[in-house]
Amino acid sequence: MHLPVKNSTTEVSVGTIKLPADIAIPAQPMGLVLFAHGSGSSWLSSRNRMVADYLNRAGIATVLFNLLTPAEDNDQRNRFNILLLAERLKMVTEWIADQEDCKHLRVAYFGASTGAAAALVAASEMPAIAAVVSRGGRPDLAMQFLPSVKAPTLLIVGSLDTEVITLNKQALEALHCEKHMALVTGATHLFEETGKMEQVCTLAAQWFEVHFQPVALTP
């Protein structure tokens, strides 16, 4: 039996702009995941929403939102401005920490494509982030920030996505935190093949579940 989920659509205030967002909070959540979508995608991404729904059923709260305003998104350069995207993600992280239903929850990131790079840059500057999961991501675009990432990081890549595998291997070497790269057999870049996104959901949920557990204090 799945726990009930409280869903709400709102606007996140970041500086002088507002970004639409969907917040889903299951009963007694173990943590909260912010989604950073990739270039050309949005908070309406069917793949990210599939992952979010799976996480909700696993007892994890989620926030889906746009990193850019419509006007900003019309400029292709903004979609690849990793520092801008990371700054927005950090601002949303700070905003969510002030919300009554969320402020007690540990926060993690799920990033896809360029959103994965933004998540890693943000995590490198926010040591309280519990974990990062990248789906078909471009962590190589955050290369100079990777040695500073402390959050346990999972890189999920399709086994047929050969170029991105190479880029993720390079990023994996640069990370000095707990890290793992998972290849989804028979999957291409968008994990469009039957059953492959389900595997992404399972891998992500397992990673978050482990790293949302309370940190043991050293005696």
Side-chain angles (χ1 to χ4, degrees):
M1 188 176 83
H2 299 309
L3 296 173
V5 178
K6 176 183 176 183
N7 293 283
S8 60
T9 298
T10 187
E11 287 186 327
V12 179
S13 298
V14 289
T16 59
I17 66 172
K18 295 184 182 298
L19 303 172
D22 278 344
I23 302 176
I25 306 176
Q28 301 177 327
M30 68 181 74
L32 181 145
V33 174
L34 296 180
F35 281 73
H37 60 76
S39 59
S41 186
S42 76
W43 68 318
L44 301 176
S45 161
S46 59
R47 292 177 182 83
N48 281 351
R49 286 184 174 270
M50 179 180 178
V51 176
D53 181 64
Y54 189 95
L55 294 180
N56 295 157
R57 287 185 277 115
I60 298 171
T62 57
V63 182
L64 290 156
F65 61 98
N66 275 346
L67 289 163
L68 300 171
T69 66
E72 291 170 334
D73 193 53
N74 284 335
D75 186 338
Q76 287 280 100
R77 293 170 297 180
N78 288 329
R79 298 182 181 184
F80 292 89
N81 186 337
I82 304 303
L83 296 182
L84 170 61
L85 300 178
E87 189 61 29
R88 288 286 167 79
L89 183 55
K90 288 164 56 182
M91 294 173 77
V92 174
T93 305
E94 292 167 353
W95 180 88
I96 206 73
D98 288 334
Q99 307 310 302
E100 190 62 33
D101 290 343
C102 306
K103 61 185 181 182
H104 64 290
L105 298 175
R106 296 187 71 199
V107 173
Y109 294 149
F110 182 97
S113 187
T114 52
L120 286 162
V121 172
S124 76
E125 298 172 350
M126 304 191 79
I129 297 304
V132 177
V133 172
S134 161
R135 171 182 64 82
R138 291 292 309 276
D140 58 293
L141 296 176
M143 195 65 77
Q144 69 187 88
F145 297 90
L146 298 184
S148 299
V149 174
K150 299 293 188 292
T153 299
L154 172 65
L155 307 177
I156 305 174
V157 189
S159 70
L160 304 180
D161 195 6
T162 53
E163 182 178 351
V164 173
I165 288 174
T166 299
L167 297 173
N168 274 254
K169 284 181 176 178
Q170 293 169 0
L172 193 70
E173 287 295 316
L175 286 165
H176 296 163
C177 55
E178 180 183 346
K179 58 190 179 180
H180 180 66
M181 180 169 159
L183 292 180
V184 176
T185 303
T188 51
H189 183 60
L190 295 178
F191 301 88
E192 295 174 300
E193 297 76 17
T194 302
K196 302 310 176 185
M197 272 303 301
E198 286 80 359
Q199 292 182 45
V200 170
C201 292
T202 300
L203 288 166
Q206 290 173 343
W207 192 260
F208 289 133
E209 286 168 359
V210 167
H211 294 100
F212 276 139
Q213 299 305 312
V215 178
L217 297 177
T218 303

